[in-house]
């Protein structure tokens, strides 16, 4: 199995700790040692310059006795934790702060000499680290400053300090550094625990729920309830699962409805044809039942065409043929197709249209289909001898088209469901014998394809009003 996110995070955490330790033991320690050596060398150099310009010059010029000079250098050497030498150009040690006998011997011309001493080795540096011509058994920081008299270098002041003293100070700084890094590592461990609790565990729950959704178990909850991005992700996952579950139910209902709406007319057609064929229906009544067969065949044709339309509208790439046309004229033309139905039920149309002409920018054929479906619904469910009101108005460069009937209305619990495919309210089933339950679905798909809106206002027993918007044509805007 591939490493999980948590394992990768732990590995990164451990790698961070190892790298921090390695960097401390190499780069940081070297940098601290170098810095302390430089600082110590500068401090000792200032002291050596002070000695060379004051005490040593007076000693060389016999203005200061050997005993006094020795006493002063011993005190200063103790303060600096270092050895102070005065050495001439030939490498003869004239004074040693840690050994008074060397000074007395030098006064008697019995010199202690530094082997291979050469002033040219100093170059332009003022300090060096080493055993100083094998004079010491351990690494030593040696600082030198010339003693001049009459513009000539007569001798040198040398201050020697063991590097172990500097290393000890460096180790103190390193201990502080290790302690600080340890605290940082501990704080990062707390952050890791916080990450585990607040991010990793919720992600595991969401991942587990996602696997359940992939297996078709859409009723599983993530169990994550937070007001942040992870909580939003969990809520989105649960919403998606609920929608998928609803979609699955809708698919089952859709198939059931399609099967029912196809099976009923086919059963009628099959039954009447068989009855004619076996003589159950006498020849003199066949014309009547052929009319019923034709009615059911037209119903199947309408249902098939509606399904084809819905399949077309369901694609995101639906093609619309936009043009500018007079919506008032389309309304007047559409209501003419319902003249026969209106005469039978005593229905009339009340047109409240804005202006003689009102141009919109849309697909004329599709909008005519919208009007046809809405008016068809209004004629089916309107009470006898009532009026259907169709109104157009302009608001914020939008044209509002309203189709209002005085019919049975829609129950409040069914308002949101009327746009579903094949949905029919219980009140409509007795009156809508020829309907397919697809008309309003087609209407909504067409309006949404135009990126417009459609709303419904209905009161049971009073009537229903559908209102949709279309963009006003540019010629109307101007």
């Amino acid at each position: 199995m591939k490493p999980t996110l948590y394992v990768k995070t732990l590995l990164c955490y451990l790698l961070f700790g190892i790298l921090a330790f390695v960097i401390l033991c190499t780069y940081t320690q070297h940098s601290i040692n170098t810095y302390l050596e430089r600082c110590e060398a500068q401090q000792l150099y200032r002291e050596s310059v002070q000695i060379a310009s004051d005490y040593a010059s007076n000693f060389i010029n016999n203005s200061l006795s050997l005993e006094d000079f020795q006493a002063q250098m011993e005190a200063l050497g103790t303060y600096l934790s270092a050895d102070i030498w005065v050495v001439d150009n030939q490498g003869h040690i004239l004074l040693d702060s840690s050994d008074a006998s060397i000074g007395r011997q030098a006064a008697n011309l019995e010199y202690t000499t530094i082997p291979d001493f050469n002033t040219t080795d100093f170059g332009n540096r003022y300090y060096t680290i080493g055993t100083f011509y094998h004079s010491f058994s351990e690494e030593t920081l040696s600082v030198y400053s010339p003693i001049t008299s009459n513009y000539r270098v007569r001798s040198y002041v040398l201050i020697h300090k063991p590097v172990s003293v500097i290393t000890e100070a460096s180790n103190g700084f390193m201990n502080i550094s290790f302690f600080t890094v340890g605290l940082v590592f501990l704080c990062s461990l707390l952050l890791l625990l916080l990450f585990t609790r607040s991010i990793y565990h919720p992600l595991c729950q969401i991942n587990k729920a996602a696997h359940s959704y992939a297996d078709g178990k859409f009723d599983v909850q993530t169990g994550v309830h937070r007001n942040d991005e992870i909580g939003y992700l969990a809520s989105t996952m649960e919403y998606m699962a609920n929608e998928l579950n609803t979609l699955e139910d809708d698919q089952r209902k859709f198939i059931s409805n399609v099967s029912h709406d196809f099976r009923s007319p086919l059963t009628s057609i099959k039954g009447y044809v068989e009855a004619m064929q076996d003589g159950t229906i006498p020849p003199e009544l066949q014309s009547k039942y052929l009319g019923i067969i034709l009615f059911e065949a037209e119903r199947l044709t309408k249902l098939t065409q509606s399904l084809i339309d819905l399949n077309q509208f369901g694609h995101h790439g639906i093609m619309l043929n936009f043009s500018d046309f007079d919506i008032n004229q389309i309304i007047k033309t559409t209501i003419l197709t319902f003249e026969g139905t209106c005469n039978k039920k005593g229905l009339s149309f009340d047109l409240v249209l804005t202006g003689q002409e009102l141009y919109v920018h849309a697909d004329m054929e599709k909008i005519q289909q919208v009007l046809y479906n809405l008016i068809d619904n209004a004629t089916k469910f309107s009470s006898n001898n009532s009026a259907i009101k169709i109104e157009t108005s302009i608001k914020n460069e939008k044209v509002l088209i309203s189709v209002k009937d005085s019919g049975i209305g829609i129950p409040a619990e069914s308002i949101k469901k009327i746009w579903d495919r094949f949905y029919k309210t219980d009140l409509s089933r007795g009156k809508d014998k020829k309907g397919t339950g697809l008309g309003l679905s087609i209407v909504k798909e067409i309006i949404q394809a135009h990126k417009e809106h459609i709303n419904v206002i209905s009161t049971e027993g009073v009537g229903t009003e559908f209102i949709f918007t279309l963009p006003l044509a540019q010629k109307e805007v101007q």
Side-chain angles (χ1 to χ4, degrees), residues 21 25 73 139-140 179 197 221 228 245 269-270 273 277 288 312-313 327 334 338 387 405 418 420 428 431 476-477:
F21 180 78
C25 293
M73 292 304 100
E139 290 286 300
T140 303
F179 182 74
R197 178 178 176 83
Q221 299 292 311
D228 56 13
N245 195 27
I269 293 172
K270 181 175 179 291
V273 170
Q277 192 176 35
K288 172 186 175 181
Q312 176 189 6
F313 299 148
I327 189 65
T334 304
F338 295 92
D405 64 59
I418 61 172
D420 296 343
S428 71
K431 297 195 173 200
E476 296 286 349
V477 176

Side-chain angles (χ1 to χ4, degrees), residues 17 28 36 63 109-110 128 153 178 185 193 201 213 223 244 295 303 364 401 405 413 431 434 436 452 468:
T28 304
L36 291 179
S63 299
L109 301 180
E110 295 177 3
T128 184
V153 176
F178 279 117
F185 196 71
L193 295 176
H201 285 165
Y213 300 155
L244 288 173
F295 175 85
L303 178 60
M364 187 175 68
I401 300 97
D405 64 59
E413 64 273 11
K431 297 195 173 200
K434 198 176 178 181
T436 63
E452 296 296 331
F468 66 93

Side-chain angles (χ1 to χ4, degrees), residues 121-338:
D121 293 340
F122 296 167
N124 58 356
R125 298 174 300 166
Y126 64 89
Y127 77 95
T128 184
I129 294 177
T131 57
F132 199 76
Y133 300 103
H134 307 289
S135 300
F136 301 97
S137 59
E138 61 175 328
E139 290 286 300
T140 303
L141 171 66
S142 300
V143 177
Y144 26 83
S145 180
I147 302 173
T148 58
S149 178
N150 296 326
Y151 304 103
R152 292 178 59 188
V153 176
R154 298 298 184 89
S155 54
Y156 296 89
V157 173
L158 294 156
I159 301 179
H160 306 287
K161 191 167 188 176
V163 174
S164 59
V165 177
I166 301 173
T167 303
E168 184 177 349
S170 174
N171 290 338
F173 282 108
M174 286 300 298
N175 290 335
I176 295 174
S177 299
F178 279 117
F179 182 74
T180 302
V181 171
L183 288 178
V184 172
F185 196 71
L186 181 61
C187 291
S188 63
L189 178 61
L190 295 177
L191 289 177
L192 180 62
L193 295 176
L194 181 63
F195 165 81
T196 303
R197 178 178 176 83
S198 62
I199 297 179
Y200 179 70
H201 285 165
L203 285 178
C204 287
Q205 291 176 271
I206 293 173
N207 187 46
K208 184 178 179 181
H211 281 293
S212 298
Y213 300 155
D215 294 335
K217 301 174 184 177
F218 300 117
D219 56 342
V220 175
Q221 299 292 311
T222 61
V224 178
H225 306 285
R226 292 163 47 174
N227 296 321
D228 56 13
E229 288 80 357
I230 292 181
Y232 179 75
L233 174 62
S235 299
T236 303
M237 291 280 290
E238 291 178 357
Y239 175 78
M240 178 193 69
N242 182 62
E243 289 297 307
L244 288 173
N245 195 27
T246 303
L247 179 61
E248 196 171 78
D249 291 340
D250 289 343
Q251 286 177 340
R252 286 194 293 266
K253 291 177 182 178
F254 179 80
I255 294 172
S256 175
N257 289 330
V258 170
S259 301
H260 177 270
D261 280 24
F262 269 94
R263 184 172 58 249
S264 296
L266 285 174
T267 301
S268 297
I269 293 172
K270 181 175 179 291
Y272 290 131
V273 170
E274 287 177 347
M276 291 179 189
Q277 192 176 35
D278 62 19
T280 303
I281 298 176
E284 63 271 15
L285 295 178
Q286 287 184 2
S287 177
K288 172 186 175 181
Y289 290 101
L290 283 174
I292 296 175
I293 291 172
L294 180 61
F295 175 85
E296 297 292 358
E298 288 176 351
R299 182 179 169 191
L300 284 174
T301 301
K302 184 177 180 181
L303 178 60
T304 303
Q305 185 59 46
S306 297
L307 288 172
I308 292 172
D309 290 341
L310 278 175
N311 183 62
Q312 176 189 6
F313 299 148
H315 291 292
H316 295 293
I318 178 174
M319 297 297 294
L320 296 176
N321 184 21
F322 282 93
S323 63
D324 294 342
F325 60 90
D326 182 7
I327 189 65
N328 289 346
Q329 183 59 44
I330 295 298
I331 292 172
K332 295 174 184 177
T333 302
T334 304
I335 64 176
L336 293 177
T337 62
F338 295 92

Side-chain angles (χ1 to χ4, degrees), residues 68-85:
D68 292 339
F69 187 36
Q70 180 72 37
Q72 291 174 351
M73 292 304 100
E74 285 180 1
L76 188 58
T78 302
Y79 171 74
L80 296 176
S81 299
D83 292 338
I84 303 174
W85 292 359

